[in-house]
Structure formats: C-alpha cells, structure tokens
Amino acid sequence: MESQKQSGPEPPIKVSTINCIDLSNPDIGESVALLKQACLDCGFFYVVNHGISQEFMDEVFAQSKKFFYLPLNEKLKVLRNEKHRGYTPMFDEFLDPDNQVHVGDYKEGYYIGVDVPENDPESEKPFNGPNVWPADGVLPGWRQTMEKFHHEALEVGKAVSRIIALALDLEVDFFDKPEVLGKPIATLRLLHYEDQFSDPAKGIYGAGAHSDFGFITLLATDDVMGLQICKDKDAKPQIWEYVTPIKGAFIVNLGDMLERWSNCPPCTEFWGMVKTDILLHTLWNLTMTVWLNVCLLAKQKKVLPSFPKSGAQHI
C-alpha cells in the first residue's frame, strides 16, 4: 500500500502592524507623530473614533449588500457611465494587467461621486456629473443612505488631511483651502468580492496589485482579512502582509498625489510618506472605499510650500 504524502502545516499568515490614530484624541501632537511614523513605515494607518456611528456603518454595509444581491439584469440598468458613476460588473477592472493575463478583478462595484446636476457648467469637467441610482422602488432609501455616508466619510477625510498638513509643516487648514479640497473629487466605491481565493500563479486576484493615485483613500471593511500591502515593491521576492480589519475603523492610505506635491525630494525625512511605494491586492467579501482627490486646479504640477520648488509653482 502506497503511503500518502503528508502535507506540512500551513505557513503562518504574515500580518502587518500599522499605527492607529484616534481622531477624538485632544493631543494633536501625538496624532501627528503617529501619522509620520506610519507613513515612514508603509503609508497605511487606522483611523478610529472618526464620528461615524457603528450603527450607521452597519446600515451602510447592509444596504450595500442589498444592491449586490440584486439580479444582474437589475444591476446592469445602472451600468457605470463616462462620468464614473454606477455599477461595474465582475472582471470589469484590471488593476495589474501585467499579471492578470486571463481575467480581471474578482469584484463588482458601484461608484458614487459628488453630485453635480447636468445643467451645471461644472458637470462638463472630468469626474463631475450627476450620480445614477437604482430605482427607489427597487431599493427604498438606498440613495439617501449612500448620500449621507458619502458626506460623512468626506468629513473624515478632511479631518485626516489636517493631521497630514501638520505632519508636512503646513498650516492645519492648508488642505481646507477652496482651491484644494473646496470642491474635491471624492468617490465612494462599494465593492463586493467574489468568494474566490487569489491564485497568483493563475493571475487571479480579488484586486490586482496597485497603488492609489489620488490624495488619500479611506477603506471600511467587513471582518474578512483580505487586504495585503507590500512595503517595498522593489524587493525580490516581494513580501506581502495582511492588514487586520478593525470593526468600525477606516484603513487609510496615502496616494501618489502627495509624491507629486512634494516634488519628490531625494533627501527628506518624509520620503517614505510622500513616495508611497505601496502595492495591494485584496480578497474582501465586502468593502467601502472613499477615494479623495483634490480640485482639478490643484492637480496641476505644483508642490507644497514646505518643499523645494525645483522649477514648479507652489500650491
């Protein structure tokens, strides 16, 4: 009788330790220090006590599930348009095309942005325009819940931006300027990940490896541990670490926009912060992300006042 090959124990899951910033902490200096260290380490950190109640967070997740449980033909009625509003089907996005050679991300999503009416001249600008919504008879109250969450999460993003400003030796309200976050590009993305484990050998990922190119991203997750971060994209082999979900918390990461604004200084203690070489791929069941970018004018090639200009204009 042939002896069966015994498989060894499963390799331990590598979990990353990231800092946690309490937005209710009256000691702003402590929050700034935690943010500096977090960004020098990996560019990711938790935010807790952000002002959005757990009851409302649970309601938003419940409403999100209701949408994704709809029949596909119903979801396709609100397919994403040229203004990036609406539904994105499974496999629609390829975040890492070099490695996702057969299929796109094992996720479906729904995009909600700042609502700008069609008759408003601002709607002609990129990423501006009216949102699209499921019929109220299909999901009663769904629109109102998502609009409220979009507004409240945007306020959390602005609170985080004030800590970032102090960490960059700027005035606390620097990012509150009308030309910076006065009319931001703020996109709420509801995401549902298929019950499929990532298989890199086959190019299968919940979401392919990528870095976020905006200002900051807030992620709210369910209790499925799926987010992985790579602190050094040039390492061979790359080392991926899971980020443990914390109920009620946002996971925050800084986007590539800060690299551009810093003028990529080669010698500065903020190098790890403003050059976020972060890649991630995910296997969540359900997440909500708020991608916060700045006004269109502030996206021009300018740098922050606390960094050398090197030919670029200051914001």
Side-chain angles (χ1 to χ4, degrees):
M1 181 176 176
E2 232 173 68
S3 61
Q4 292 184 343
K5 185 177 179 180
Q6 297 292 323
S7 60
E10 290 289 326
I13 294 177
K14 191 171 182 61
V15 178
S16 183
T17 300
I18 62 176
N19 282 351
C20 184
I21 296 176
D22 184 345
L23 291 186
S24 69
N25 184 359
D27 186 351
I28 191 65
E30 181 180 359
S31 298
V32 170
L34 285 171
L35 188 143
K36 285 183 180 181
Q37 186 55 50
C39 298
L40 289 168
D41 177 42
C42 65
F44 279 79
F45 52 92
Y46 298 108
V47 163
V48 297
N49 292 325
H50 42 65
I52 303 179
S53 71
Q54 185 60 56
E55 181 181 12
F56 184 54
M57 294 280 279
D58 292 341
E59 174 62 19
V60 177
F61 269 104
Q63 291 289 347
S64 181
K65 288 181 180 179
K66 287 182 180 180
F67 174 79
F68 291 118
Y69 286 162
L70 291 174
L72 180 59
N73 67 316
E74 195 68 47
K75 291 183 284 191
L76 290 176
K77 292 179 182 178
V78 286
L79 196 63
R80 181 172 61 169
N81 59 26
E82 70 282 356
K83 294 293 186 177
H84 298 279
R85 306 290 202 274
Y87 174 66
T88 56
M90 199 73 69
F91 313 126
D92 186 64
E93 297 180 328
F94 285 77
L95 289 178
D96 186 10
D98 290 341
N99 292 305
Q100 294 174 272
V101 293
H102 300 299
V103 295
D105 296 345
Y106 267 83
K107 73 176 190 298
E108 54 183 343
Y110 197 94
Y111 286 68
I112 301 167
V114 177
D115 197 71
V116 182
E118 285 185 345
N119 59 358
D120 188 324
E122 293 288 314
S123 68
E124 300 298 320
K125 296 179 179 180
F127 298 102
N128 282 9
N131 286 310
V132 296
W133 303 102
D136 198 52
V138 175
L139 292 175
W142 197 85
R143 171 178 178 172
Q144 290 76 14
T145 298
M146 296 307 164
E147 286 181 327
K148 180 182 177 182
F149 181 72
H150 182 277
H151 172 75
E152 293 193 9
L154 177 56
E155 292 305 308
V156 176
K158 290 181 177 180
V160 173
S161 77
R162 295 178 190 117
I163 301 175
I164 294 172
L166 293 174
L168 293 171
D169 295 327
L170 300 167
E171 294 295 327
V172 66
D173 60 351
F174 178 83
F175 293 111
D176 290 327
K177 292 178 180 179
E179 66 270 25
V180 184
L181 288 177
K183 293 182 179 179
I185 301 171
T187 304
L188 166 62
R189 299 177 65 202
L190 310 175
L191 298 172
H192 169 231
Y193 291 84
E194 183 68 14
D195 187 16
Q196 173 82 27
F197 283 97
S198 295
D199 188 344
K202 298 179 180 178
I204 297 174
Y205 298 95
H210 66 283
S211 62
D212 284 354
F213 54 83
F215 177 45
I216 60 173
T217 303
L218 310 177
L219 303 95
T221 77
D222 61 12
D223 58 0
V224 178
M225 186 164 61
L227 173 68
Q228 292 180 309
I229 63 174
C230 175
K231 297 180 180 180
D232 182 0
K233 70 176 183 180
D234 297 320
K236 296 185 184 300
Q238 291 178 339
I239 298 174
W240 293 89
E241 300 176 342
Y242 282 96
V243 177
T244 305
I246 297 179
K247 188 174 181 62
F250 283 107
I251 302 169
V252 184
N253 75 289
L254 304 181
D256 299 336
M257 179 62 69
L258 282 177
E259 174 189 354
R260 182 175 184 176
W261 278 351
S262 71
N263 209 25
C264 305
C267 298
T268 170
E269 64 173 310
F270 292 105
W271 178 249
M273 175 187 294
V274 298
K275 180 73 167 65
T276 47
D277 290 333
I278 302 302
L279 303 175
L280 59 91
H281 51 98
T282 54
L283 182 66
W284 284 304
N285 176 39
L286 189 68
T287 71
M288 298 178 292
T289 71
V290 181
W291 177 70
L292 180 59
N293 211 338
V294 295
C295 305
L296 289 172
L297 287 176
K299 291 178 67 179
Q300 297 171 1
K301 192 173 183 181
K302 299 181 179 181
V303 297
L304 297 167
S306 52
F307 289 96
K309 291 176 27 173
S310 298
Q313 293 181 344
H314 277 148
I315 294 175

